Every structure is written in C-alpha cells, then in structure tokens.
Amino acid sequence: MAGNQERGPSAGAGVTAGEEWAALHRLAEAARATTLRDLFDADPDRADALTVEHDGVTADFSKQRVTGATLAALVALAERAGLRERIDAMFAGEHINTTEDRAVLHVALRAERGTHLVVDGRDVVAEVHEVLDRMRSFSRAVRDGTHTGHTGRRIRNVINVGIGGSDLGPAMATTALLPYTDRSMRFRFLSNVDGDEAWEVLHDLDPAETLVIVSSKTFTTLETVTNARTVRRWLVDGLGGDERAVAAHFVAVSTNAAEVAAFGIDTERMFGFWDWVGGRFSFDSAIGLSLMIAVGPDHFDDLLAGLRSIDAHLRDAPFERSLPVLMGLIGVWNIDFLGASTHAVLPYSHHLARFPAYLQQLEMESNGKAVTLDGSPVGCATAPVVWGEPGTNGQHAFYQLLHQGTVVVPCDFVAFAHPQHEEGRHHDLLLANCFAQSAALAFGRTAEEVAARGAPAALVPHKVMPGNRPSTTLLLDRLTPYTLGQLVALYEHKVLTQGVIWGVDSFDQWGVELGKELAGAIVPDLEAEGAPALGHDASTDALVARARRLRHA
Ligand code: F6P
C-alpha cells in the first residue's frame, strides 16, 4: 500500500493511479479467465465463506465474480482511498460535502436521544429530537382526529407535495410499509409539474378532509411550488373561498422559513431540517412526516432504529465484514474492472415496488459524477444506471436480456423469509423464483447440457444460457419498519463507499442545474402572447414554435 500518501477528503482523487487499482486489474484478467461454475467447483465452502450477516441481514456475495483475493484487494483499495477516515469525518460532522461546504449528517437523524454531536457550535442531535417530538405530537393529533380540518371534519387524506428526495423516500416507504399504515386514511404523493398528475391526485378527494404537506428543502423548487399553489387553490375554492382554511390544511417541511412564510404557511406549522441533510438522504428527517402520519410514531421509531443499526455497523465493523462497504466495493469491481454499466435492483416483495426508483436517485444523483473533489477528471467509470422492478413481474418482461443479452447486468436480489400476509403457497413460489433466477444467472446452461436435454441441434444456441452473470442476494426475515431502515442505510453507506473510491462529492448535484435554468428561459416563450422572438438553439426554437402552433391551433 502507498501508505504515506495524503488521505482524507481528497484521497479518492488519483486512486486509479495506485498499486491497488493495478492489482485489481490483474485480478480482473484472472476473473475473465474463470467462471462462477469454476469458482464454486473449486471451493465447496464458497457460499458460506462469501456470506456476511449483520443483525438479521444476510448478504450472499458468493455469486459475485470475486474470490477472497479480490475482496482483500478491494479492501486495500478502500483503505488507500481513505474510506475509514472519511466515515469518521462524516460522523464527526466535518464538511465532507466540499463543493457546498456542508456537513453530511443524515446519520444524526437517527442518533439516539441523549447522545450529542456538536457541529458548527450546535448540538444537532438535540435539534433532531426537538423536531421529531413535534412530528410525533402532530402525527398523533392527525391520526386520532384531534387535529381537524377548517370545518371541523376529520383528516382522512394526506397529500405530500414534493419532488426528488422530498418525494421518493416517503413515497417508497409508505408503499413498503402499507400493512403498517392506517388503512382508514389515504396517502398520496404529488411530485411532477405535469398538471395531469395534480388532477389525478386531487379529483376524488374532499378538501375538507385533506391535509397537505408541502415538502421542499429549498422551498423554491418549480414543481413543488407550482403544485403547492394549485393544491391551495383547489382547497380554498373547495372550502368556499375562505383563505383562512390554509392554516388547518397546510403544513410545510423545509429548511427555508422565509420562503415558507412567503408562500402563506405559518412557520408555526413548519417542520424544519438542516442544510447538512441532502435531499436524497432526508426521508427520515421531517421529510418523512407523511410517512409518520401513515405508520404512526412508534413504527417510525422502529425505522430509525433499523437505520441506526447499520450506522453502527458501518462505524464498527472491519471492511471485510461490513455489508455496505462490501456492497459498494463489489459494485466498483463490477463497474470498473468487469465493465458493467448498469445495476438492477430486483426486490422479491410487492411492497418494495418503489425501492428501485428511490435507489435511482440515491445512487445516480450522488455518484453520477465525472470529476473528483479537486475538479480533475475522475479517470474511471462511476455510478451505473440503477433500475429494477419487483420479481416475478420482471422475469416475464426484461429478464430475457439479463440471462442472454449482450450486456452483463449485475443484480441485487432482495428477499424476505416471511411475507406480510401468508397466502397459501405464494411465498414459497416467490422465494423459489428469486433463488432460481440468481442460480440461472450464475451457472447458466451449456450447449452440451442443452443438447443432453433433447433440444434439436438448431435450437441449441438459442437455449444456451451463458451464466457467469453476477448477483448479490440480500435475505431478511420480514419487511418491517426496522428492516426497511436497515435496507435504506445499507444503500446510503454503499453510496458513501463508492463515492470515496471514485473521489467524487457524493452529496452535491450540480448536474441538475443547467436543465432548470434552460427551462426557466423557455417558459416565457411558451406562455407569450403573439409570436415571441426565440433565441435558443435551433432545435429548441423549432420545438417551441411547433408546440406553440399545436397548442394554439
Ligand atoms: O433538482 C434536484 C433536487 O435538488 C434534488 O436533489 C432534491 O431532492 C430535489 O431537487 C427537491 O429539492 P427540494 O427538496 O429543495 O424541493
């Protein structure tokens, strides 16, 4: 190891030039000359040796194209990149989000009451618990009917208006924890600026029974502010035009009290969070208010406990036994050394339907970067395209490509020993499919095996299953608030791990800004009376002109 080189915030920069990176390339050459079949044949204990457990989460990495030597080399890479120092710096509240000069403290959102973390002169844990306490009492009041609407009717509908990290987390978790929710209430999520979504969300609701949570870290996001205005108009109109209704029906979740007040929501009705929580890491902050109302404060506490369990594991476990670190490092192996460019997350759980979408933002907005902390080119591939759908639906849609396509897609299978509801044979069938798919991907079927099963010669090449396609299986007991918390924290810390290896700032998102700016310049041209003089690029001008003709025909 190049032990005396400087580490810390910019240690990831230049990691590709180190000896550890070169060693991994040599191991990748060897990996290309062997198969998962060979690896399992050579080591009867492989499944055990490459399975890691922590607090009820089992990760089977044995169907990844790694050996003990690969993992050792990946761990050496993590050490070379300064991962341990970076983890410590995060927990200490150092400003590891360097391009925005901010601490990165989503771990403080689930820190135990009574512990302390002083950042920039403030005890953030105490502040977190103050907000959690306010969320708890408000959630209880909504759930038990103490907090009513303007006309005294009970709240039966909750709409979270937010986008990105202010939508995906609570939306994903409310779906995941549906069996824990108050089924007498309806929870809806309004995110897109597309008015069709607003119509779908609102059209069959009674404003007198509807609570609106406007969730936006900045409170300036175009989609959220536009939707919030539309919902306010719908609500006030539906309640006889009485603007005073806003007070009982609207609350805000934000870091920006001034904008909340400017929107017309009393800051007494605002639940705050802090600039040290990134949007995509915020679902267990006040951004989770809709979720807390849905599942109740006690289940929300269980979720926090699950997150905390993985935080402690990240801090305390050696990298060789650390689930999120291994998930991150094996991802780096697949992307940078075996050439994968996408990653599928395949939950064998109906309730985790939104989990891949949630992870898309978490991974792609965090690590979809091309420069390191010091602004130099990253020099290797970074975040893959993350995607997925629940099994077994995916099996009857896109798994064909996973098995026989020309691109190799590393997969995470996520499964639970118990369903939410035992329903005849369903769960055994579901699990059998999950395990079968990873086996088929790993071991495939050779031409000889296909022929031996009686396939006509002409069909043999079509039926060959190449195998050697890597996957990890995460197996947990049951999907609960606690295990959902564990799953989210695993992926959060996987993102940190990979960001450190690649040397990027995982906590900024400058790449989303240009599109927002350009849209801002196009809006007036679409809305203008008459024929505006267009000054965009030729393609955009033509599209704007065509859209105007169609809209005004
Ligand atoms: O545009 C991207 C983004 O800034 C995300 O990072 C964020 O989660 C989302 O927009 C919503 O932002 P806000 O919570 O400030 O409305």
Side-chain angles (χ1 to χ4, degrees), residues 163-166 215-219 221 224 279-280 361 365 509 512 516:
I163 197 164
S166 300
S215 298
S216 175
K217 180 173 172 178
T218 55
F219 229 78
T221 304
T224 302
R280 53 195 175 272
Q361 188 198 15
E365 195 167 76
Q509 56 284 317
V512 303
K516 292 182 190 176

Side-chain angles (χ1 to χ4, degrees), residues 111-183:
E112 211 132 23
R113 190 189 295 275
T115 57
H116 301 284
L117 178 55
V118 178
V119 174
D120 303 332
R122 305 173 77 117
D123 183 351
V124 298
V125 180
E127 292 185 5
V128 163
H129 281 275
E130 264 171 46
V131 175
L132 278 172
D133 286 342
R134 287 186 58 226
M135 288 167 65
R136 284 187 190 104
S137 56
F138 183 68
S139 300
R140 287 202 179 97
V142 173
R143 285 166 65 85
D144 68 17
T146 320
H147 177 96
T148 61
H150 182 61
T151 62
R153 298 256 293 278
R154 193 176 176 139
I155 297 296
R156 303 224 171 261
N157 315 307
V158 176
I159 305 174
N160 182 78
V161 180
I163 197 164
S166 300
D167 163 68
L168 286 163
M172 174 279 291
T174 303
T175 308
L177 300 178
L178 211 52
Y180 295 84
T181 60
D182 181 340
R183 301 283 188 145

Side-chain angles (χ1 to χ4, degrees), residues 35-200:
T35 65
L36 282 166
R37 279 191 185 218
D38 298 334
L39 295 173
F40 274 86
D41 287 347
D43 179 5
D45 295 329
R46 181 177 169 85
D48 271 353
L50 290 176
T51 294
V52 180
E53 284 182 66
H54 169 73
D55 189 19
V57 185
T58 299
D60 176 359
F61 297 116
S62 67
K63 294 195 191 90
Q64 292 288 349
R65 294 173 60 192
V66 295
T67 62
T70 326
L71 294 184
L74 286 166
V75 165
L77 179 71
E79 284 164 357
R80 167 70 183 83
L83 178 59
R84 180 58 68 197
E85 292 84 345
R86 196 76 165 178
I87 291 169
D88 292 344
M90 177 175 75
F91 279 97
E94 288 177 29
H95 287 207
I96 65 170
N97 174 358
T98 53
T99 72
E100 295 179 319
D101 192 17
R102 288 177 181 167
V104 174
L105 271 175
H106 42 279
V107 290
L109 297 172
R110 50 266 191 166
E112 211 132 23
R113 190 189 295 275
T115 57
H116 301 284
L117 178 55
V118 178
V119 174
D120 303 332
R122 305 173 77 117
D123 183 351
V124 298
V125 180
E127 292 185 5
V128 163
H129 281 275
E130 264 171 46
V131 175
L132 278 172
D133 286 342
R134 287 186 58 226
M135 288 167 65
R136 284 187 190 104
S137 56
F138 183 68
S139 300
R140 287 202 179 97
V142 173
R143 285 166 65 85
D144 68 17
T146 320
H147 177 96
T148 61
H150 182 61
T151 62
R153 298 256 293 278
R154 193 176 176 139
I155 297 296
R156 303 224 171 261
N157 315 307
V158 176
I159 305 174
N160 182 78
V161 180
I163 197 164
S166 300
D167 163 68
L168 286 163
M172 174 279 291
T174 303
T175 308
L177 300 178
L178 211 52
Y180 295 84
T181 60
D182 181 340
R183 301 283 188 145
S184 70
M185 298 180 74
R186 281 189 285 201
F187 294 88
R188 294 199 175 161
F189 295 85
L190 175 54
S191 54
N192 199 329
V193 78
D194 185 339
D196 288 343
E197 187 186 0
W199 188 87
E200 291 294 348

